[in-house]
Amino acid sequence: DSVKTVLTSPENRILIKRMLIKCADISNPCRPIQQCIEWAGRISEEYFAQTDEEKRQGLPVVMPVFDRNTCSIPKSQISFIDYFITDMFDAWDAFADLPNLMQHLDNNFKYWKGLDEKKLRSLRPPPE
């Protein structure tokens, strides 16, 4: 009933649509682990390339944490989840009940934390 009440207002429907678009845009940590790892790699490579190009052109480096020589991908993912994802998806889950997404988020956070605890900076642990 509370969802129906929220949806009766045109302003609320617009806000919910905007939230949904934003959540979809940054939802990588809520995907199954293999997709999350793949997209974290693609996004990191895009940021590495931007940093490389800024350095090459002598421009200010916008995201110094994404220097490919020093970046820890697990730390970047942990920070992204901590600062942007958790609260946003907790709120969205309270509104729409998304247990699968929230379980993926929990699994992915634990994955990145595990790599970070092993002092790894890569997307995956080395092959054994």
Side-chain angles (χ1 to χ4, degrees):
D1 286 338
S2 63
V3 171
K4 288 180 183 177
T5 303
V6 170
L7 294 175
T8 57
S9 159
E11 294 83 15
N12 286 349
R13 286 196 304 274
I14 290 170
L15 176 62
I16 289 167
K17 289 174 186 178
R18 287 182 178 164
M19 286 176 53
L20 185 58
I21 290 168
K22 185 61 177 174
C23 285
D25 182 42
I26 63 170
S27 67
N28 188 54
C30 297
R31 296 178 186 196
I33 188 67
Q34 291 307 319
Q35 290 176 330
C36 177
I37 294 168
E38 175 67 26
W39 281 99
R42 291 178 185 206
I43 292 164
S44 295
E45 184 53 43
E46 179 181 327
Y47 293 161
F48 292 154
Q50 177 181 331
T51 299
D52 292 346
E53 185 64 15
E54 289 166 347
K55 287 180 175 183
R56 190 184 71 70
Q57 292 188 25
L59 298 171
V61 175
V62 175
M63 295 182 290
V65 72
F66 281 99
D67 181 317
R68 71 175 69 246
N69 299 311
T70 58
C71 182
S72 166
I73 294 174
K75 282 188 187 309
S76 72
Q77 292 301 300
I78 291 165
S79 295
F80 181 63
I81 291 169
D82 279 342
Y83 292 111
F84 297 105
I85 301 299
T86 300
D87 289 344
M88 185 180 295
F89 277 88
D90 280 345
W92 195 241
D93 180 50
F95 177 75
D97 190 28
L98 306 165
N100 292 342
L101 292 182
M102 299 309 288
Q103 186 61 58
H104 290 312
L105 177 57
D106 185 56
N107 294 344
N108 293 333
F109 186 79
K110 288 175 181 171
Y111 175 80
W112 298 119
K113 280 296 252 189
L115 291 180
D116 186 49
E117 287 167 0
K118 294 175 183 171
K119 307 286 188 233
L120 298 173
R121 298 182 325 151
S122 59
L123 290 167
R124 293 178 180 85
E128 292 182 16

